[in-house]
Amino acid sequence: MQEACDALFLAAGDVALTLEQLSEASGLAAEQIAVLVDYGVLRAQGDEPARWTFSASAVVMAKRGGRLARHFDLNPEGMALALIQMERIAELERRLRWLECALPSESQ
């Protein structure tokens, strides 16, 4: 069920959420979201928190961070570090799959 909800948020990519809306949708406090913005995990449009807007995909990332924080008792900085590393691993896995597809098959 969670994956279906995440897919719906990703499909609504052009939706702009305020900090308050992102906080409500993700379950994270505004201060936790601010840390994720400071560390570059979330991208906020706007020059100050009161004017920040986020894409719908930020909800998925913030929810993932919240789950990590709850399950592993992470502070906001630890949550940001874990999310950064998880994204890095996902990117490396995508590259590995691409490289594996580019290799000649063994049957030739």
Side-chain angles (χ1 to χ4, degrees):
M1 180 65 173
Q2 184 61 45
E3 292 172 5
C5 292
D6 291 349
L8 285 174
F9 278 116
L10 290 173
D14 60 347
V15 174
L17 301 165
T18 65
L19 177 60
E20 183 179 320
Q21 290 169 325
L22 179 58
S23 178
E24 185 177 317
S26 68
L28 293 179
E31 296 79 17
Q32 292 173 302
I33 294 171
V35 170
L36 296 179
V37 171
D38 288 345
Y39 280 89
V41 175
L42 297 177
R43 287 207 167 109
Q45 300 296 316
D47 53 357
E48 59 185 59
R51 295 182 182 194
W52 281 351
T53 59
F54 299 88
S55 69
S57 63
V59 175
V60 175
M61 185 66 74
K63 282 184 155 191
R64 186 176 297 148
R67 285 191 302 272
L68 286 168
R70 283 188 303 280
H71 292 310
F72 297 107
D73 195 28
L74 298 175
N75 64 17
E77 291 79 8
M79 177 177 48
L81 177 63
L83 288 169
I84 290 167
Q85 295 307 315
M86 289 174 68
E87 283 299 306
R88 181 68 179 139
I89 289 167
E91 174 60 27
L92 290 171
E93 288 173 340
R94 282 189 292 274
R95 288 182 182 184
L96 179 60
R97 282 192 300 276
W98 183 85
L99 288 171
E100 287 173 339
C101 289
L103 287 174
S105 67
E106 294 180 20
S107 62
Q108 292 181 353

